[in-house]
Amino acid sequence: MKKLYVGNLPFTATEDEVRDLFSQHGTVHSVALIMDRETGRPRGFGFVEMDDEAAMAAIQALDGAEMGGRPLRVNEAQERRSGGGGGGGGYRGGGGGRGGGGGGRDRW
């Protein structure tokens, strides 16, 4: 099973409309339209889960196709990376080699 990213959706799109559109290419296992947490309004993108073959057919047929006057962006969803940092500040600043005598301390 593949998860597809569906972007540039009209803000009026419903899960049922997206399901109907994608089901023309195979069995749709789930549809999730993403809503803004603060306003509760649609954010214009979502995810559709389909069997592998159906998903590939849907990508080919629907990427660039119009829905509500907007060209859809459809591709395989990328797994979200967990965490939010990049290793956490490994630079400690040793002053090494600058002038000697301890005068090369870093100033923050």
Side-chain angles (χ1 to χ4, degrees):
M1 188 162 14
K2 288 194 184 299
K3 182 182 261 190
L4 303 179
Y5 165 83
V6 185
N8 208 31
L9 283 165
F11 295 108
T12 57
T14 66
E15 287 186 6
D16 286 340
E17 289 172 332
V18 172
R19 181 182 301 276
D20 288 347
L21 181 64
F22 279 78
S23 66
Q24 295 172 26
H25 305 283
T27 302
V28 173
H29 295 284
S30 71
V31 175
L33 300 185
I34 307 304
M35 303 297 225
D36 187 285
R37 286 185 196 140
E38 293 177 19
T39 65
R41 296 168 66 186
R43 293 192 54 197
F45 72 96
F47 299 94
V48 175
E49 285 186 318
M50 303 178 76
D51 293 324
D52 291 3
E53 243 179 76
M56 297 314 285
I59 290 170
Q60 287 183 343
L62 298 175
D63 187 41
E66 283 199 10
M67 181 178 188
R70 299 179 70 157
L72 296 177
R73 284 189 298 246
V74 182
N75 53 49
E76 194 170 340
Q78 302 299 312
E79 285 299 317
R80 193 178 219 185
R81 297 184 221 272
S82 62
Y91 180 74
R92 298 198 185 267
R98 284 195 195 185
R105 294 180 69 136
D106 290 334
R107 297 195 179 149
W108 300 96

Coordinates of all heavy atoms in Angstrom, one line a residue:
M1 N 0.8 -1.2 0.0 CA 0.0 0.0 0.0 C 0.9 1.2 0.0 O 1.9 1.3 0.6 CB -0.9 0.0 1.2 CG -1.9 1.1 1.2 SD -3.4 1.0 2.2 CE -3.1 -0.3 3.4
K2 N 0.5 2.3 -0.7 CA 1.2 3.5 -0.8 C 0.4 4.6 -0.3 O -0.8 4.7 -0.5 CB 1.6 3.8 -2.3 CG 2.7 2.9 -2.8 CD 3.3 3.5 -4.1 CE 4.3 2.6 -4.7 NZ 5.4 2.3 -4.0
K3 N 1.1 5.6 0.3 CA 0.4 6.8 0.7 C 0.8 7.9 -0.3 O 2.0 8.1 -0.5 CB 0.9 7.2 2.1 CG 0.2 8.5 2.7 CD 0.7 8.8 4.0 CE -0.3 8.3 5.1 NZ 0.0 8.9 6.4
L4 N -0.2 8.6 -0.8 CA 0.0 9.7 -1.8 C -0.2 11.0 -1.1 O -1.2 11.2 -0.3 CB -1.0 9.5 -3.0 CG -0.9 8.2 -3.7 CD1 -1.9 8.2 -4.8 CD2 0.5 7.9 -4.2
Y5 N 0.6 12.0 -1.5 CA 0.4 13.4 -1.1 C -0.4 14.0 -2.2 O -0.1 13.8 -3.4 CB 1.8 14.1 -1.0 CG 1.7 15.6 -1.0 CD1 1.4 16.2 0.2 CD2 1.8 16.3 -2.1 CE1 1.3 17.6 0.3 CE2 1.7 17.7 -2.1 CZ 1.4 18.3 -0.9 OH 1.3 19.7 -0.9
V6 N -1.4 14.8 -1.8 CA -2.3 15.5 -2.8 C -2.3 16.9 -2.4 O -2.8 17.3 -1.4 CB -3.7 14.9 -2.8 CG1 -4.5 15.6 -3.9 CG2 -3.8 13.4 -2.9
G7 N -1.6 17.7 -3.2 CA -1.5 19.1 -2.9 C -2.3 20.0 -3.9 O -2.7 19.6 -5.0
N8 N -2.4 21.3 -3.5 CA -3.1 22.3 -4.3 C -4.6 22.0 -4.5 O -5.2 22.3 -5.5 CB -2.5 22.5 -5.7 CG -2.7 23.9 -6.2 OD1 -2.8 24.8 -5.4 ND2 -2.8 24.0 -7.5
L9 N -5.2 21.3 -3.4 CA -6.6 21.0 -3.5 C -7.4 22.3 -3.3 O -7.0 23.2 -2.6 CB -7.0 20.1 -2.3 CG -6.6 18.6 -2.4 CD1 -6.7 17.9 -1.1 CD2 -7.5 18.0 -3.4
P10 N -8.6 22.4 -3.9 CA -9.4 23.5 -3.6 C -9.8 23.5 -2.1 O -10.0 22.4 -1.6 CB -10.7 23.3 -4.5 CG -10.4 22.1 -5.3 CD -9.1 21.5 -4.9
F11 N -9.9 24.6 -1.5 CA -10.3 24.7 -0.1 C -11.7 24.2 0.2 O -12.0 23.9 1.3 CB -10.1 26.1 0.4 CG -8.7 26.5 0.4 CD1 -8.2 27.5 -0.5 CD2 -7.7 26.0 1.3 CE1 -6.9 27.9 -0.5 CE2 -6.4 26.3 1.2 CZ -6.0 27.3 0.3
T12 N -12.5 24.0 -0.9 CA -13.9 23.5 -0.7 C -13.9 22.0 -0.9 O -15.0 21.4 -0.7 CB -14.8 24.2 -1.8 OG1 -14.2 23.9 -3.1 CG2 -14.9 25.7 -1.6
A13 N -12.8 21.4 -1.2 CA -12.8 19.9 -1.5 C -13.2 19.1 -0.2 O -12.8 19.5 0.9 CB -11.5 19.4 -2.0
T14 N -14.0 18.1 -0.4 CA -14.3 17.2 0.8 C -13.6 15.9 0.6 O -13.2 15.5 -0.5 CB -15.9 17.0 0.8 OG1 -16.2 16.2 -0.3 CG2 -16.6 18.3 0.9
E15 N -13.6 15.1 1.7 CA -12.9 13.8 1.6 C -13.7 12.9 0.7 O -13.1 12.1 -0.1 CB -12.9 13.2 3.0 CG -11.8 13.8 3.9 CD -11.6 13.1 5.2 OE1 -12.2 12.0 5.5 OE2 -10.9 13.7 6.1
D16 N -15.0 13.0 0.6 CA -15.8 12.2 -0.3 C -15.5 12.5 -1.8 O -15.3 11.6 -2.6 CB -17.3 12.4 -0.1 CG -17.8 11.7 1.2 OD1 -17.1 10.7 1.7 OD2 -18.8 12.0 1.7
E17 N -15.3 13.8 -2.1 CA -14.9 14.2 -3.5 C -13.6 13.7 -3.9 O -13.4 13.2 -5.0 CB -15.0 15.7 -3.6 CG -16.3 16.3 -3.6 CD -16.3 17.8 -3.5 OE1 -15.4 18.4 -3.0 OE2 -17.3 18.4 -4.0
V18 N -12.6 13.7 -2.9 CA -11.3 13.3 -3.2 C -11.3 11.7 -3.4 O -10.7 11.2 -4.3 CB -10.3 13.7 -2.1 CG1 -8.9 13.0 -2.3 CG2 -10.1 15.2 -2.1
R19 N -12.0 11.1 -2.5 CA -12.2 9.6 -2.6 C -12.8 9.2 -3.9 O -12.3 8.3 -4.6 CB -13.1 9.1 -1.4 CG -13.2 7.6 -1.5 CD -14.1 7.1 -0.3 NE -13.6 7.5 1.0 CZ -12.7 6.8 1.7 NH1 -12.2 5.7 1.2 NH2 -12.3 7.2 2.8
D20 N -13.8 9.9 -4.4 CA -14.5 9.6 -5.7 C -13.5 9.8 -6.8 O -13.4 9.0 -7.7 CB -15.7 10.5 -5.9 CG -16.9 10.1 -5.0 OD1 -16.8 9.0 -4.4 OD2 -17.8 10.9 -4.9
L21 N -12.7 10.9 -6.8 CA -11.7 11.1 -7.8 C -10.7 10.0 -7.9 O -10.4 9.5 -9.0 CB -11.1 12.5 -7.6 CG -10.1 12.9 -8.6 CD1 -10.7 13.2 -10.0 CD2 -9.4 14.2 -8.2
F22 N -10.1 9.6 -6.8 CA -9.0 8.7 -6.8 C -9.6 7.2 -7.0 O -8.8 6.4 -7.5 CB -8.2 8.8 -5.5 CG -7.2 9.9 -5.5 CD1 -7.6 11.2 -5.3 CD2 -5.9 9.6 -5.8 CE1 -6.7 12.2 -5.4 CE2 -4.9 10.6 -5.8 CZ -5.3 11.9 -5.7
S23 N -10.8 7.0 -6.6 CA -11.3 5.6 -6.8 C -11.5 5.2 -8.2 O -11.7 4.1 -8.5 CB -12.6 5.4 -6.0 OG -13.7 6.2 -6.5
Q24 N -11.5 6.2 -9.1 CA -11.5 5.9 -10.6 C -10.3 5.1 -11.0 O -10.3 4.5 -12.1 CB -11.6 7.2 -11.4 CG -12.9 8.0 -11.1 CD -12.8 9.3 -11.8 OE1 -12.1 9.5 -12.8 NE2 -13.6 10.3 -11.3
H25 N -9.3 5.1 -10.2 CA -8.0 4.4 -10.5 C -7.7 3.2 -9.6 O -6.7 2.6 -9.8 CB -6.9 5.4 -10.4 CG -7.2 6.6 -11.3 ND1 -7.0 6.6 -12.7 CD2 -7.6 7.8 -11.0 CE1 -7.4 7.8 -13.1 NE2 -7.8 8.5 -12.1
G26 N -8.6 2.9 -8.7 CA -8.4 1.7 -7.9 C -9.0 1.9 -6.5 O -9.6 2.9 -6.2
T27 N -8.8 0.9 -5.6 CA -9.4 1.0 -4.3 C -8.7 2.0 -3.4 O -7.5 2.0 -3.3 CB -9.3 -0.4 -3.6 OG1 -10.0 -1.3 -4.5 CG2 -10.0 -0.4 -2.3
V28 N -9.5 2.9 -2.8 CA -9.0 3.9 -1.9 C -9.2 3.3 -0.5 O -10.3 3.0 -0.1 CB -9.7 5.2 -2.1 CG1 -9.3 6.2 -1.0 CG2 -9.5 5.8 -3.5
H29 N -8.1 3.2 0.3 CA -8.2 2.7 1.6 C -8.5 3.8 2.7 O -9.2 3.6 3.7 CB -6.9 1.9 2.0 CG -6.8 0.7 1.2 ND1 -7.5 -0.4 1.4 CD2 -6.0 0.5 0.1 CE1 -7.1 -1.4 0.5 NE2 -6.2 -0.8 -0.3
S30 N -7.9 5.0 2.4 CA -8.2 6.1 3.3 C -7.9 7.4 2.7 O -7.2 7.5 1.7 CB -7.4 6.0 4.6 OG -6.0 6.3 4.3
V31 N -8.6 8.5 3.1 CA -8.4 9.8 2.7 C -8.4 10.7 3.9 O -9.2 10.6 4.8 CB -9.6 10.3 1.8 CG1 -9.4 11.8 1.5 CG2 -9.7 9.5 0.6
A32 N -7.4 11.6 4.0 CA -7.2 12.5 5.1 C -6.9 13.9 4.6 O -5.8 14.1 4.0 CB -6.2 12.0 6.1
L33 N -7.8 14.8 4.7 CA -7.6 16.2 4.3 C -7.1 16.9 5.6 O -7.6 16.8 6.7 CB -8.8 16.9 3.8 CG -9.4 16.2 2.5 CD1 -10.6 17.0 2.0 CD2 -8.4 16.0 1.5
I34 N -6.0 17.7 5.4 CA -5.4 18.3 6.6 C -6.0 19.7 6.9 O -6.2 20.5 6.0 CB -3.9 18.5 6.3 CG1 -3.2 17.2 5.9 CG2 -3.2 19.1 7.5 CD1 -3.5 16.0 6.9
M35 N -6.4 19.9 8.1 CA -7.1 21.1 8.5 C -6.1 22.0 9.4 O -5.3 21.4 10.1 CB -8.3 20.8 9.4 CG -9.3 19.9 8.6 SD -9.9 20.7 7.2 CE -11.6 20.4 7.3
D36 N -6.3 23.3 9.3 CA -5.5 24.2 10.2 C -6.0 24.0 11.6 O -7.1 24.1 11.9 CB -5.7 25.6 9.7 CG -4.8 26.6 10.4 OD1 -5.0 26.9 11.6 OD2 -3.8 27.0 9.8
R37 N -5.0 23.8 12.5 CA -5.4 23.6 13.9 C -6.1 24.8 14.6 O -6.9 24.6 15.4 CB -4.1 23.2 14.8 CG -3.6 21.9 14.5 CD -2.4 21.6 15.4 NE -1.7 20.4 15.0 CZ -0.4 20.3 15.0 NH1 0.3 21.2 15.5 NH2 0.1 19.2 14.5
E38 N -5.6 26.0 14.2 CA -6.1 27.2 14.8 C -7.5 27.6 14.3 O -8.4 28.0 15.0 CB -5.1 28.3 14.7 CG -3.9 28.0 15.5 CD -2.8 29.1 15.3 OE1 -3.1 30.2 14.9 OE2 -1.6 28.8 15.6
T39 N -7.6 27.5 12.9 CA -8.9 28.0 12.3 C -9.9 27.0 12.0 O -11.0 27.3 11.8 CB -8.5 28.8 11.0 OG1 -8.0 27.9 10.1 CG2 -7.5 29.9 11.3
G40 N -9.4 25.7 11.9 CA -10.3 24.6 11.6 C -10.7 24.6 10.1 O -11.5 23.8 9.7
R41 N -10.0 25.4 9.3 CA -10.2 25.5 7.9 C -9.2 24.6 7.1 O -8.1 24.3 7.6 CB -10.1 26.9 7.4 CG -11.2 27.8 8.0 CD -10.9 29.2 7.8 NE -11.1 29.6 6.4 CZ -10.8 30.8 5.9 NH1 -10.4 31.8 6.7 NH2 -10.9 31.0 4.7
P42 N -9.6 24.1 5.9 CA -8.7 23.2 5.2 C -7.5 23.9 4.8 O -7.5 25.1 4.5 CB -9.5 22.9 3.9 CG -10.9 23.3 4.2 CD -10.9 24.3 5.3
R43 N -6.3 23.2 4.7 CA -5.1 23.8 4.4 C -4.7 23.6 2.9 O -3.7 24.0 2.4 CB -4.0 23.2 5.3 CG -4.1 23.6 6.7 CD -3.0 23.3 7.6 NE -1.7 23.9 7.1 CZ -0.5 23.5 7.5 NH1 -0.4 22.6 8.4 NH2 0.5 24.0 6.9
G44 N -5.6 22.8 2.2 CA -5.4 22.7 0.7 C -4.5 21.5 0.3 O -4.1 21.4 -0.8
F45 N -4.3 20.6 1.3 CA -3.6 19.3 0.9 C -4.1 18.2 1.8 O -4.8 18.4 2.8 CB -2.1 19.5 1.0 CG -1.5 19.6 2.4 CD1 -1.0 18.5 3.0 CD2 -1.5 20.8 3.1 CE1 -0.5 18.5 4.3 CE2 -0.9 20.9 4.3 CZ -0.5 19.7 5.0
G46 N -3.7 17.0 1.4 CA -4.1 15.8 2.1 C -3.4 14.6 1.7 O -2.4 14.7 0.9
F47 N -3.8 13.4 2.1 CA -3.2 12.2 1.9 C -4.2 11.1 1.5 O -5.3 11.1 2.1 CB -2.4 11.7 3.1 CG -1.3 12.7 3.4 CD1 -1.5 13.6 4.4 CD2 -0.1 12.6 2.8 CE1 -0.5 14.5 4.7 CE2 0.9 13.5 3.1 CZ 0.7 14.5 4.1
V48 N -3.9 10.3 0.5 CA -4.8 9.2 0.1 C -3.9 7.9 0.1 O -2.8 7.9 -0.3 CB -5.2 9.4 -1.4 CG1 -6.0 8.3 -1.9 CG2 -6.1 10.7 -1.4
E49 N -4.5 6.8 0.7 CA -3.8 5.5 0.7 C -4.5 4.6 -0.3 O -5.7 4.5 -0.2 CB -3.8 4.9 2.1 CG -2.9 5.6 3.1 CD -2.8 4.9 4.4 OE1 -3.8 4.5 4.9 OE2 -1.7 4.7 4.9
M50 N -3.7 4.0 -1.1 CA -4.2 3.1 -2.2 C -3.2 1.9 -2.3 O -2.1 2.0 -1.9 CB -4.3 3.8 -3.5 CG -5.2 5.0 -3.5 SD -5.2 5.8 -5.2 CE -6.3 4.7 -6.0
D51 N -3.7 0.8 -3.0 CA -2.8 -0.3 -3.3 C -1.7 0.3 -4.3 O -1.9 1.2 -5.0 CB -3.5 -1.4 -4.0 CG -4.5 -2.1 -3.0 OD1 -4.2 -2.2 -1.8 OD2 -5.6 -2.5 -3.4
D52 N -0.5 -0.4 -4.3 CA 0.6 0.1 -5.0 C 0.3 0.4 -6.5 O 0.6 1.5 -7.0 CB 1.8 -0.9 -5.0 CG 2.4 -1.0 -3.6 OD1 1.9 -0.3 -2.6 OD2 3.4 -1.7 -3.4
E53 N -0.3 -0.5 -7.2 CA -0.6 -0.4 -8.6 C -1.6 0.8 -8.9 O -1.4 1.6 -9.8 CB -1.1 -1.7 -9.2 CG -0.2 -2.2 -10.3 CD -0.8 -3.5 -10.8 OE1 -1.8 -3.5 -11.6 OE2 -0.3 -4.6 -10.5
A54 N -2.6 0.8 -8.1 CA -3.6 1.9 -8.2 C -3.0 3.2 -7.9 O -3.4 4.2 -8.6 CB -4.8 1.6 -7.2
A55 N -2.1 3.3 -6.9 CA -1.5 4.5 -6.6 C -0.7 5.1 -7.7 O -0.7 6.3 -8.0 CB -0.6 4.4 -5.3
M56 N 0.1 4.2 -8.4 CA 0.9 4.6 -9.5 C 0.0 5.1 -10.6 O 0.3 6.1 -11.3 CB 1.8 3.5 -10.0 CG 2.8 3.1 -8.9 SD 3.7 4.4 -8.1 CE 4.8 4.9 -9.3
A57 N -1.1 4.4 -10.9 CA -2.0 4.9 -11.9 C -2.6 6.2 -11.6 O -2.8 7.1 -12.5 CB -3.1 3.8 -12.1
A58 N -3.0 6.4 -10.3 CA -3.5 7.7 -9.9 C -2.5 8.8 -10.0 O -2.9 9.9 -10.5 CB -4.0 7.6 -8.4
I59 N -1.3 8.6 -9.7 CA -0.2 9.6 -9.9 C -0.2 10.0 -11.3 O -0.2 11.2 -11.7 CB 1.1 9.1 -9.3 CG1 1.1 9.0 -7.8 CG2 2.2 10.1 -9.8 CD1 2.3 8.3 -7.2
Q60 N -0.1 9.1 -12.2 CA 0.1 9.4 -13.6 C -1.1 10.1 -14.2 O -1.0 11.0 -15.0 CB 0.3 8.1 -14.4 CG 1.7 7.5 -14.2 CD 1.9 6.3 -15.1 OE1 1.0 5.7 -15.6 NE2 3.2 5.9 -15.2
A61 N -2.3 9.7 -13.7 CA -3.5 10.3 -14.3 C -3.9 11.7 -13.6 O -4.4 12.5 -14.3 CB -4.7 9.3 -14.1
L62 N -3.6 11.8 -12.4 CA -4.1 13.0 -11.7 C -3.1 14.1 -11.4 O -3.5 15.2 -11.0 CB -4.8 12.5 -10.3 CG -6.0 11.6 -10.5 CD1 -6.5 11.1 -9.2 CD2 -7.1 12.3 -11.3
D63 N -1.8 13.8 -11.5 CA -0.8 14.9 -11.2 C -1.0 15.9 -12.3 O -0.8 15.6 -13.5 CB 0.6 14.3 -11.2 CG 1.6 15.4 -10.8 OD1 1.3 16.2 -9.9 OD2 2.7 15.4 -11.4
G64 N -1.4 17.1 -12.0 CA -1.6 18.2 -13.0 C -3.0 18.3 -13.4 O -3.4 19.3 -14.0
A65 N -3.9 17.3 -13.1 CA -5.3 17.4 -13.4 C -6.0 18.5 -12.6 O -5.6 18.7 -11.5 CB -6.0 16.0 -13.2
E66 N -7.0 19.1 -13.2 CA -7.7 20.2 -12.4 C -8.8 19.6 -11.6 O -9.5 18.7 -11.9 CB -8.2 21.2 -13.4 CG -7.2 22.1 -14.0 CD -7.7 23.4 -14.6 OE1 -8.9 23.6 -14.4 OE2 -6.9 24.1 -15.2
M67 N -8.9 20.2 -10.4 CA -10.0 20.0 -9.5 C -10.4 21.4 -9.0 O -9.6 22.1 -8.4 CB -9.6 19.1 -8.4 CG -10.8 18.8 -7.4 SD -10.3 17.6 -6.1 CE -11.8 17.3 -5.4
G68 N -11.7 21.8 -9.2 CA -12.1 23.1 -8.8 C -11.3 24.2 -9.3 O -11.1 25.2 -8.7
G69 N -10.8 24.0 -10.6 CA -10.0 25.1 -11.2 C -8.6 25.2 -10.8 O -7.8 26.1 -11.2
R70 N -8.1 24.2 -10.0 CA -6.7 24.2 -9.5 C -6.0 22.9 -10.0 O -6.6 21.8 -9.9 CB -6.7 24.2 -8.0 CG -7.3 25.5 -7.4 CD -7.3 25.5 -6.0 NE -5.9 25.7 -5.5 CZ -5.6 26.2 -4.4 NH1 -6.5 26.5 -3.5 NH2 -4.3 26.3 -4.0
P71 N -4.8 23.0 -10.5 CA -4.0 21.9 -10.9 C -3.5 21.1 -9.7 O -2.7 21.6 -8.9 CB -2.9 22.4 -11.8 CG -2.7 23.8 -11.2 CD -4.0 24.3 -10.8
L72 N -3.9 19.8 -9.6 CA -3.5 19.0 -8.4 C -2.0 18.7 -8.5 O -1.5 18.5 -9.6 CB -4.3 17.7 -8.4 CG -5.8 17.9 -8.1 CD1 -6.4 16.5 -8.1 CD2 -6.1 18.6 -6.8
R73 N -1.4 18.5 -7.4 CA 0.0 17.9 -7.3 C -0.2 16.6 -6.6 O -0.6 16.6 -5.4 CB 0.9 18.8 -6.5 CG 1.4 20.0 -7.3 CD 2.4 20.8 -6.6 NE 2.0 21.3 -5.3 CZ 1.8 22.6 -5.0 NH1 2.1 23.5 -5.9 NH2 1.4 22.9 -3.9
V74 N 0.1 15.5 -7.3 CA 0.0 14.2 -6.7 C 1.3 13.4 -6.8 O 1.8 13.3 -7.9 CB -1.1 13.4 -7.4 CG1 -1.3 12.0 -6.8 CG2 -2.5 14.2 -7.4
N75 N 1.8 13.0 -5.7 CA 3.0 12.2 -5.7 C 3.1 11.3 -4.5 O 2.2 11.4 -3.6 CB 4.3 13.0 -5.9 CG 4.4 14.1 -4.8 OD1 4.2 13.8 -3.6 ND2 4.6 15.3 -5.2
E76 N 4.0 10.4 -4.5 CA 4.2 9.5 -3.3 C 4.6 10.3 -2.1 O 5.5 11.1 -2.2 CB 5.2 8.4 -3.6 CG 5.1 7.3 -2.6 CD 5.9 6.1 -3.0 OE1 6.2 5.9 -4.2 OE2 6.3 5.3 -2.2
A77 N 3.9 10.1 -1.0 CA 4.2 10.9 0.2 C 5.6 10.4 0.8 O 5.9 9.3 0.7 CB 3.1 10.7 1.3
Q78 N 6.3 11.4 1.3 CA 7.6 11.1 1.9 C 7.3 10.9 3.4 O 6.6 11.7 4.0 CB 8.6 12.2 1.7 CG 8.8 12.5 0.2 CD 9.4 11.4 -0.5 OE1 10.4 10.8 0.0 NE2 8.8 11.0 -1.6
E79 N 8.0 10.0 4.0 CA 7.8 9.8 5.5 C 8.4 11.0 6.2 O 9.4 11.5 5.9 CB 8.6 8.5 5.9 CG 7.9 7.2 5.5 CD 6.5 7.1 6.2 OE1 6.3 7.4 7.3 OE2 5.6 6.7 5.4
R80 N 7.6 11.4 7.2 CA 8.0 12.5 8.0 C 9.2 12.1 8.9 O 9.1 11.1 9.5 CB 6.8 12.9 8.8 CG 7.0 14.3 9.5 CD 5.7 14.6 10.2 NE 5.4 16.0 10.1 CZ 4.4 16.5 10.7 NH1 3.6 15.9 11.5 NH2 4.2 17.8 10.5
R81 N 10.2 12.9 8.9 CA 11.3 12.6 9.8 C 11.0 13.1 11.2 O 10.5 14.2 11.4 CB 12.6 13.4 9.3 CG 13.0 13.0 8.0 CD 14.3 13.7 7.6 NE 14.3 14.2 6.3 CZ 14.8 13.5 5.3 NH1 15.2 12.3 5.4 NH2 14.8 14.0 4.1
S82 N 11.3 12.2 12.2 CA 11.1 12.6 13.6 C 12.2 13.4 14.1 O 13.3 13.5 13.5 CB 10.9 11.3 14.4 OG 12.1 10.6 14.4
G83 N 11.9 14.1 15.2 CA 12.9 15.0 15.8 C 12.8 16.3 15.1 O 12.1 16.5 14.1
G84 N 13.6 17.3 15.6 CA 13.5 18.6 15.0 C 14.9 19.3 15.0 O 15.0 20.4 14.8
G85 N 15.9 18.6 15.3 CA 17.2 19.2 15.5 C 18.2 18.7 14.5 O 17.9 17.8 13.7
G86 N 19.3 19.2 14.5 CA 20.3 18.7 13.6 C 21.5 18.3 14.4 O 22.7 18.6 14.1
G87 N 21.4 17.6 15.5 CA 22.5 17.1 16.3 C 22.9 18.0 17.4 O 23.7 17.6 18.2
G88 N 22.3 19.1 17.6 CA 22.5 19.9 18.8 C 23.9 20.5 19.1 O 24.5 20.1 20.1
G89 N 24.3 21.4 18.3 CA 25.4 22.3 18.6 C 26.7 21.6 19.0 O 27.2 21.6 20.1
G90 N 27.3 20.9 18.0 CA 28.6 20.2 18.3 C 29.8 21.1 18.3 O 30.9 20.7 18.7
Y91 N 29.7 22.4 18.0 CA 30.8 23.3 18.0 C 31.1 23.8 19.4 O 30.2 24.4 19.9 CB 30.6 24.5 17.0 CG 31.7 25.4 16.9 CD1 32.9 25.1 16.3 CD2 31.6 26.7 17.6 CE1 33.9 26.0 16.2 CE2 32.7 27.5 17.5 CZ 33.8 27.2 16.9 OH 34.9 28.1 16.8
R92 N 32.3 23.6 19.9 CA 32.6 24.1 21.2 C 33.6 25.2 21.2 O 33.9 25.7 22.3 CB 33.0 22.9 22.1 CG 32.0 21.8 22.2 CD 32.3 21.0 23.4 NE 31.3 19.9 23.5 CZ 30.2 19.9 24.2 NH1 29.9 21.0 24.9 NH2 29.4 18.9 24.2
G93 N 34.2 25.5 20.1 CA 35.1 26.6 20.0 C 36.3 26.4 20.9 O 36.3 26.8 22.1
G94 N 37.4 25.9 20.5 CA 38.6 25.7 21.3 C 39.6 26.8 21.2 O 40.6 26.8 21.9
G95 N 39.4 27.7 20.3 CA 40.4 28.7 20.1 C 41.7 28.2 19.5 O 42.6 29.0 19.3
G96 N 41.8 27.0 19.2 CA 43.1 26.3 18.9 C 43.9 27.0 17.8 O 43.3 27.4 16.7
G97 N 45.1 27.3 18.0 CA 46.0 27.7 17.0 C 46.0 29.2 16.8 O 46.7 29.7 15.9
R98 N 45.2 30.0 17.5 CA 45.2 31.4 17.2 C 46.0 32.2 18.2 O 45.5 32.4 19.3 CB 43.7 31.9 17.3 CG 42.9 31.6 16.1 CD 41.7 32.4 16.1 NE 40.8 31.9 15.2 CZ 39.6 32.5 14.9 NH1 39.3 33.6 15.5 NH2 38.8 31.9 14.1
G99 N 47.1 32.5 17.9 CA 47.9 33.4 18.7 C 48.5 32.8 20.0 O 49.3 33.4 20.6
G100 N 48.1 31.6 20.4 CA 48.6 31.0 21.6 C 48.3 31.8 22.9 O 47.8 32.9 22.9
G101 N 48.7 31.3 24.0 CA 48.6 31.9 25.3 C 47.2 32.1 25.8 O 46.9 32.9 26.7
G102 N 46.2 31.3 25.3 CA 44.9 31.4 25.8 C 44.1 32.6 25.4 O 43.0 32.8 25.9
G103 N 44.6 33.4 24.5 CA 43.9 34.6 24.1 C 42.8 34.4 23.1 O 42.1 35.3 22.7
G104 N 42.6 33.2 22.6 CA 41.6 33.0 21.5 C 40.3 32.5 22.0 O 39.6 31.7 21.3
R105 N 39.8 32.9 23.1 CA 38.5 32.4 23.6 C 37.4 33.0 22.7 O 37.4 34.1 22.3 CB 38.3 32.9 25.0 CG 39.3 32.2 26.0 CD 39.0 32.7 27.3 NE 37.7 32.2 27.8 CZ 37.5 31.7 29.0 NH1 38.5 31.6 29.8 NH2 36.4 31.2 29.3
D106 N 36.3 32.1 22.5 CA 35.2 32.6 21.7 C 34.3 33.5 22.5 O 34.1 33.2 23.7 CB 34.4 31.4 21.2 CG 35.1 30.5 20.2 OD1 36.0 31.1 19.5 OD2 34.9 29.3 20.1
R107 N 33.8 34.5 21.9 CA 32.8 35.4 22.6 C 31.4 35.2 22.0 O 31.2 35.2 20.8 CB 33.2 36.8 22.4 CG 34.6 37.0 23.0 CD 34.9 38.4 23.2 NE 36.2 38.4 23.8 CZ 37.1 39.3 23.7 NH1 36.9 40.3 23.0 NH2 38.3 39.2 24.3
W108 N 30.5 34.9 22.8 CA 29.1 34.6 22.4 C 28.4 35.9 22.6 O 27.5 36.4 22.7 CB 28.5 33.4 23.1 CG 29.3 32.2 22.9 CD1 30.2 31.7 23.7 CD2 29.2 31.3 21.7 NE1 30.8 30.6 23.1 CE2 30.2 30.3 21.9 CE3 28.5 31.3 20.5 CZ2 30.4 29.3 21.0 CZ3 28.7 30.3 19.7 CH2 29.6 29.3 19.9

